[in-house]
Amino acid sequence: SCKIGTEKLSIYECLGRVLAKDIVSVENIPPFDRSTVDGYAVLSSDTFGAGESIPSMLSLTGEILMGEEAETALSSGECVRISTGGMLPAGADSVSMVEHTEQMIDGTCLIFKAVSPFQNVTKAGDDVKIGQTVISKGTRITSRHIGILCAIGITEVECVRKIRVGIISSGDEIVPVGEKVPMGKIRDVNSLFLASLMKENGCDATE
């Protein structure tokens, strides 16, 4: 048996190639707890028992926009307005959907429906955890894998070098595909067919 070497390729070049080493994530995806809805980040226990007739009344202390870091911690009795994808502030463990709330002019927010811990929240590492093998050695890289590599910030991967295959089709009866076939002869089907088959399976093939 022969030893097949490896080579490092950028994510712009590795589509269709075979991975030589496991890809292990060094990041959590998502990297922080984030909201899956537009609404208000709250401490879920502050909403327990809330209903249409007796809403929970929380003090609105600010707003977190998509792409902003939540720098101020939330205390019990407080809430902050948050957009879908926004970073959950420390102290909050859930998000009340905007449809179940009403913001008053005095800065109070009414919560008309209780939420459970981490409701409407994607927790840090829910998709990918640090130390998780996200693509295994021997995998042929597809567009989906490229997306995973981008998500965890990997721009270069080690792949198996392509096997080089030479194809020789011999026989006095064979004529090139583009030529007229004299009686008793046949076209050279095998050369191009086998070369195409090898290329489909990740090899460099020459006829």
Side-chain angles (χ1 to χ4, degrees):
S1 63
C2 62
K3 184 177 180 181
I4 301 173
T6 65
E7 58 183 339
K8 287 189 176 180
L9 297 174
S10 79
I11 56 173
Y12 300 99
E13 304 172 298
C14 65
L15 186 66
R17 300 294 295 272
V18 175
L19 198 61
K21 292 183 177 179
D22 289 345
I23 300 295
V24 178
S25 180
V26 295
E27 297 182 7
N28 282 326
I29 304 296
F32 51 83
D33 294 348
R34 63 183 180 185
S35 176
T36 60
V37 297
D38 291 336
Y40 295 87
V42 299
L43 181 63
S44 59
S45 59
D46 284 341
T47 72
F48 292 168
E52 290 292 334
S53 58
I54 309 177
S56 293
M57 300 178 64
L58 303 178
S59 176
L60 182 62
T61 60
E63 182 175 12
I64 300 169
L65 300 176
M66 178 67 168
E68 285 187 351
E69 183 177 357
E71 297 179 340
T72 304
L74 198 69
S75 298
S76 180
E78 297 178 340
C79 67
V80 294
R81 188 169 178 85
I82 191 168
S83 302
T84 301
M87 180 179 180
L88 208 67
D93 67 355
S94 56
V95 177
S96 181
M97 295 176 66
V98 69
E99 293 87 345
H100 301 145
T101 66
E102 184 178 348
Q103 185 176 329
M104 311 300 287
I105 58 174
D106 64 354
T108 300
C109 183
L110 304 181
I111 309 293
F112 295 102
K113 186 175 182 180
V115 288
S116 56
F118 297 105
Q119 186 171 337
N120 301 319
V121 170
T122 300
K123 297 178 68 176
D126 269 358
D127 295 330
V128 176
K129 289 181 172 57
I130 292 174
Q132 179 181 341
T133 298
V134 292
I135 313 175
S136 299
K137 171 183 176 181
T139 299
R140 185 177 300 281
I141 298 171
T142 66
S143 56
R144 182 178 68 85
H145 298 123
I146 299 294
I148 294 171
L149 293 171
C150 289
I152 60 177
I154 291 179
T155 59
E156 191 176 66
V157 293
E158 191 160 348
C159 297
V160 176
R161 286 187 182 276
K162 287 186 176 183
I163 298 173
R164 293 181 178 178
V165 179
I167 297 171
I168 300 173
S169 185
S170 61
D172 294 338
E173 77 283 11
I174 296 173
V175 297
V177 173
E179 294 185 7
K180 186 176 181 180
V181 183
M183 189 63 67
K185 304 282 188 180
I186 59 170
R187 290 191 177 91
D188 182 8
V189 174
N190 289 337
S191 292
L192 186 55
F193 166 70
L194 291 174
S196 300
L197 182 61
M198 293 299 100
K199 289 175 182 177
E200 281 181 344
N201 286 275
C203 300
D204 279 333
T206 55
E207 302 170 52

